[in-house]
Amino acid sequence: TIKGIQEEGVIATAKHYILNEQEHFRQSFEWGLPNAMSSNIDDRTLHELYLWPFAESVRAGVASVMCSYQMVNNSYACGNSKILNGILKDELGFQGFVQSDWLAQRSGVASALAGLDMTMPGDGLRWEDGKSLFGPHLTRAALNGSIPMRRINDMATRIVAAWYQLGQDDTSTWPAPPPEGEGGPNFSSWTHEKIGLLHPGSNDKSTGVVNKFINAAGEGKNSHRSLARQVAAEGTVLVKNDEKILPLSHNGWGDEKKAWTGKVRIGVFGEDAGEGK
């Protein structure tokens, strides 16, 4: 998947790094709690069980890794130097950039020093408050020495290197965004209108076309829906009950000589199984 995405010049992102194993309580201020839950784990289990997918992602050449919402051993994942600097960038040799999820960054200087390279735009500590924990604060931290310039350079290098590596500097393939060109994202996460803010969550109130209403799923035999159905069909396994080898019976379970009068329960499992009734 990573190679397929990046062969088209699109930056793939491996997420969520790491131990993001449940939805409930993984974010701050969720269900009235000021802090996210913490995934506490020993070093051996972390390496031998949970790190492998990310190790394989790095080996495949992934350009970006997104840190997770929750804490790891009581330190927020996007501000955890052990997992970002120590394991991801040092042990695994990851040369791309680490980005936060929305609201996953919970500090400014501390997260930059811990290995966070890019913050998700529009948010600070609260949803879409426009009070970035980087932005001008990162500039101020660099000027007053809180963050050494070598770290600022490292952050910028990792981001720009990925941009160049995937050929996103080629304007024949990637036209410049408005107002210089007609490129950039063809949809907005912040409005359903055609015209909207070009940089929502910032002080820049410039507007332009932000939604082009492109049918990204496609139509006809080449549509995503057709391909998804084909993949699902080809991945279906049918088992034939030769010589009653399977524990199944049209009459249900019990004495085969006596018809079953109770209900026969069939379990359908998976995300698309629907609601239980």
Side-chain angles (χ1 to χ4, degrees):
T1 302
I2 290 169
K3 291 182 178 179
I5 291 172
Q6 297 194 161
E7 283 174 0
E8 298 299 319
V10 178
I11 293 176
T13 302
K15 63 179 186 178
H16 294 82
Y17 182 78
I18 190 171
L19 299 174
N20 183 71
E21 301 298 318
Q22 69 178 56
E23 281 290 315
H24 279 60
F25 308 113
R26 69 176 184 149
Q27 287 184 273
S28 301
F29 303 111
E30 204 171 20
W31 289 282
L33 300 177
N35 294 306
M37 52 86 68
S38 178
S39 298
N40 296 337
I41 195 170
D42 63 275
D43 191 68
R44 180 175 180 178
T45 306
L46 175 67
H47 279 78
E48 294 186 2
L49 290 182
Y50 295 95
L51 187 61
W52 275 111
F54 297 97
E56 294 297 331
S57 297
V58 172
R59 187 168 70 165
V62 72
S64 172
V65 169
M66 180 179 286
C67 44
S68 54
Y69 283 110
Q70 91 294 333
M71 292 188 276
V72 175
N73 292 337
N74 299 307
S75 175
Y76 278 103
C78 289
N80 189 313
S81 182
K82 168 65 176 180
I83 64 172
L84 298 182
N85 288 327
I87 298 177
L88 181 63
K89 293 181 176 180
D90 188 6
E91 291 184 26
L92 299 186
F94 176 60
Q95 296 183 1
F97 63 92
V98 176
Q99 61 171 296
S100 71
D101 206 338
W102 272 293
L103 296 177
Q105 182 184 6
R106 310 309 298 170
S107 63
V109 171
S111 57
L113 295 176
L116 182 66
D117 302 302
M118 176 187 289
T119 183
M120 194 66 78
D123 294 333
L125 293 173
R126 294 284 187 170
W127 179 251
E128 202 183 349
D129 61 7
K131 300 176 181 179
S132 174
L133 295 170
F134 277 178
H137 302 298
L138 190 64
T139 302
R140 190 177 298 111
L143 292 174
N144 66 25
S146 299
I147 301 177
M149 284 305 301
R150 65 178 181 275
R151 173 62 185 129
I152 300 293
N153 291 338
D154 177 56
M155 296 165 74
T157 299
R158 288 174 176 272
I159 295 167
V160 176
W163 186 68
Y164 278 116
Q165 181 188 14
L166 297 179
Q168 294 186 356
D169 58 315
D170 184 353
T171 55
S172 64
T173 305
W174 297 93
E180 291 80 10
E182 297 298 323
N186 53 34
F187 72 96
S188 172
S189 299
W190 309 104
T191 178
H192 295 297
E193 302 298 324
K194 180 178 180 180
I195 306 297
L197 293 172
L198 295 177
H199 306 289
S202 74
N203 294 327
D204 186 347
K205 302 304 178 184
S206 303
T207 59
V209 176
V210 293
N211 280 310
K212 299 182 180 179
F213 305 106
I214 294 174
N215 182 6
E219 299 178 355
K221 65 178 182 180
N222 294 322
S223 68
H224 292 186
R225 179 179 297 179
S226 298
L227 178 60
R229 183 180 178 86
Q230 178 185 348
V231 170
E234 293 179 358
T236 300
V237 177
L238 296 179
V239 182
K240 191 174 182 180
N241 194 16
D242 281 338
E243 300 181 3
K244 297 183 179 180
I245 192 172
L246 298 175
L248 303 174
S249 171
H250 290 295
N251 296 322
W253 291 273
D255 188 348
E256 292 188 0
K257 297 180 180 180
K258 183 179 180 181
W260 179 259
T261 58
K263 292 182 178 180
V264 176
R265 299 182 181 275
I266 300 176
V268 182
F269 302 92
E271 187 174 332
D272 297 323
E275 296 180 1
K277 295 183 180 179

